[in-house]
Amino acid sequence: MRTIEWKDDGVYIIDQTKLPHELNFIVCKDYERIALAIEKMEIRGAPAIGVAAAMGIALAAKNSKGKSIEEIKKELIKAKRRLASTRPTAKNLFWALERMEKVWENANSSEEIIENVIKEALKIAQEDIDSCRKISEYGSSLIDDGDKILTYCNAGGLACVELGTALGIIKTAFRKGKKIEVYVPETRPLLQGARLTAFELKMEGIPYKLITDNMIGYIMQKGLVNKVIVGADRITRYGDVFNKIGTYLIAISAYIHKIPFYVAAPFSTIDANALPEDVIIEERNEKEVLYINNMLIAPSGTKVLNPAFDLTPGKYVSAIITDKGIIWPPYDFSTIK
Ligand code: MRU
């Protein structure tokens, strides 16, 4: 099952807002629908939104009414701007859009633009599948029989095209016969852990326990977990990691308890020349915090802070598992080709 797929009549995406109760597909016929799907988090997860943005550009090219190469390029620039405005933190989104721009910039005719832009979007999707397989293979070597692993948010097949990064490692270790158990924090406010990670683990038959986010310190202190593996939205030059809000607390707790804290991500997530201060942390709608299942959980008029991501300094990261292998500290991505 693929999270996102290009078909003749549109881009099919799994509607993640309906999981785990309903498995529905949304058919996006134009780039605006893709942009909305990213904003509404019908599709989410750094690699998946990168692929979605690339396919959005491909739809823009396919649907273009431009009569000349210049007119088509103008439309694609507009589509790129709209797609880039959806979510600011994940590097993959911008990485994919920049790759698409290079392709249309180098095309010599209208036909070539359309053909090459669609080809490139499909290539980005296939590369994501391949990267997840490599990450999962490398990462599974770090998993031992009997491990109790904590993951966070959803870095699974639903956050990518298929398989996943952090969860891909867990699935691959399990498929190799390693006896493992996974702890899944629910991941407030949008519950990606409870809704999506638990869904994927259940489908795979991997033993797991759901916990609330405030139980993480407790399970570490009690020795109930011995490894942490999470994904990333952006990793800057010296291995500082931006990931779902709450990741930082997990990392420092793991550090204090001497539990390895691994981050899994493809190179498309790495912003090799950026420093943490260059990264914009997305602020989301206050309703995500104020409401659970459409029920207001605080007095009306309550003010809210809702950052979607936080920064885990590289010094708390035991290793970064990438599609090019496992990278150990000290991290300096500006030297890696
Ligand atoms: O807000 P989300 O659900 O898009 O956040 C997703 C995460 O933080 C994931 O951990 C990250 O994108 C890595 S996915 C392989």
Side-chain angles (χ1 to χ4, degrees):
M1 194 168 58
R2 294 203 170 162
T3 301
I4 177 162
E5 200 164 8
W6 176 272
K7 293 192 184 179
D8 287 343
D9 60 337
V11 174
Y12 283 63
I13 60 170
I14 294 177
D15 182 354
Q16 300 191 33
T17 61
K18 298 284 187 302
L19 286 172
H21 305 302
E22 287 170 42
L23 182 57
N24 291 340
F25 288 83
I26 297 166
V27 187
C28 303
K29 304 265 186 196
D30 53 40
Y31 77 82
E32 178 55 32
R33 185 64 189 88
I34 297 253
L36 280 175
I38 298 172
E39 277 170 353
K40 295 190 335 193
M41 292 178 66
E42 291 162 335
I43 187 161
R44 33 66 51 203
I49 63 174
V51 172
M55 289 192 181
I57 295 291
L59 282 177
K62 191 180 157 195
N63 295 339
S64 173
K65 303 257 181 305
K67 292 196 177 45
S68 66
I69 185 163
E70 288 317 317
E71 278 179 25
I72 299 179
K73 282 186 185 176
K74 236 189 224 160
E75 284 182 28
L76 296 188
I77 290 166
K78 193 172 155 213
K80 181 184 175 219
R81 218 173 279 141
R82 170 70 182 108
L83 289 159
S85 74
T86 53
R87 298 192 73 189
T89 309
K91 173 67 184 165
N92 312 61
L93 180 85
F94 304 93
W95 167 87
L97 287 171
E98 275 147 32
R99 253 182 80 163
M100 297 302 284
E101 183 164 30
K102 276 198 194 110
V103 170
W104 83 65
E105 279 302 325
N106 289 327
N108 295 311
S109 67
S110 309
E111 296 73 35
E112 212 178 284
I113 290 194
I114 298 168
E115 198 186 316
N116 291 357
V117 153
I118 294 174
K119 249 196 219 152
E120 189 70 2
L122 295 179
K123 196 164 160 224
I124 288 174
Q126 185 56 48
E127 281 176 18
D128 185 63
I129 294 172
D130 298 341
S131 297
C132 284
R133 288 186 187 154
K134 285 184 194 148
I135 290 168
S136 301
E137 202 48 50
Y138 290 129
S140 66
S141 68
L142 298 171
I143 309 296
D144 299 308
D145 226 17
D147 274 351
K148 310 258 186 233
I149 306 163
L150 179 94
T151 186
Y152 190 55
C153 190
N154 172 267
L158 289 164
C160 306
V161 178
E162 58 172 43
L163 190 61
T165 56
L167 211 47
I169 293 170
I170 291 169
K171 288 178 193 170
T172 303
F174 183 76
R175 288 175 192 170
K176 286 182 174 174
K178 294 186 185 175
K179 290 189 180 57
I180 53 174
E181 189 183 17
V182 184
Y183 279 90
V184 182
E186 55 184 358
T187 319
R188 271 285 282 153
L190 292 180
L191 303 171
Q192 289 93 328
R195 296 187 304 103
L196 309 176
T197 297
F199 174 79
E200 287 195 46
L201 289 167
K202 186 178 173 199
M203 292 236 302
E204 284 279 321
I206 301 175
Y208 69 91
K209 283 194 183 107
L210 179 67
I211 57 172
T212 59
D213 300 333
N214 51 3
M215 294 174 190
I216 292 166
Y218 172 88
I219 63 166
M220 288 190 178
Q221 198 176 47
K222 288 273 179 194
L224 297 177
V225 287
N226 67 327
K227 267 165 207 165
V228 178
I229 314 177
V230 298
D233 285 81
R234 193 181 291 241
I235 300 173
T236 52
R237 190 188 307 169
Y238 300 117
D240 299 312
V241 174
F242 288 82
N243 192 50
K244 180 53 55 199
I245 188 79
T247 303
Y248 173 50
L249 257 179
I250 299 174
I252 50 179
S253 193
Y255 188 80
I256 288 167
H257 291 96
K258 300 192 169 43
I259 296 169
F261 177 90
Y262 299 120
V263 173
F267 255 74
S268 48
T269 302
I270 295 166
D271 199 351
N273 293 313
L275 294 173
E277 54 268 33
D278 302 323
V279 180
I280 299 170
I281 292 186
E282 179 183 7
E283 278 279 344
R284 292 192 59 89
N285 194 299
E286 60 178 29
K287 287 196 179 130
E288 293 177 353
V289 176
L290 282 174
Y291 289 80
I292 297 182
N293 278 342
N294 294 323
M295 197 180 87
L296 183 64
I297 58 161
S300 61
T302 296
K303 290 208 171 70
V304 163
L305 188 70
N306 188 17
F309 303 98
D310 63 20
L311 160 67
T312 297
K315 71 170 181 182
Y316 298 120
V317 178
S318 308
I320 300 177
I321 306 155
T322 76
D323 44 334
K324 295 187 185 170
I326 302 175
I327 298 174
W328 302 93
Y331 308 111
D332 184 355
F333 286 103
S334 63
T335 61
I336 299 174
K337 289 283 156 270

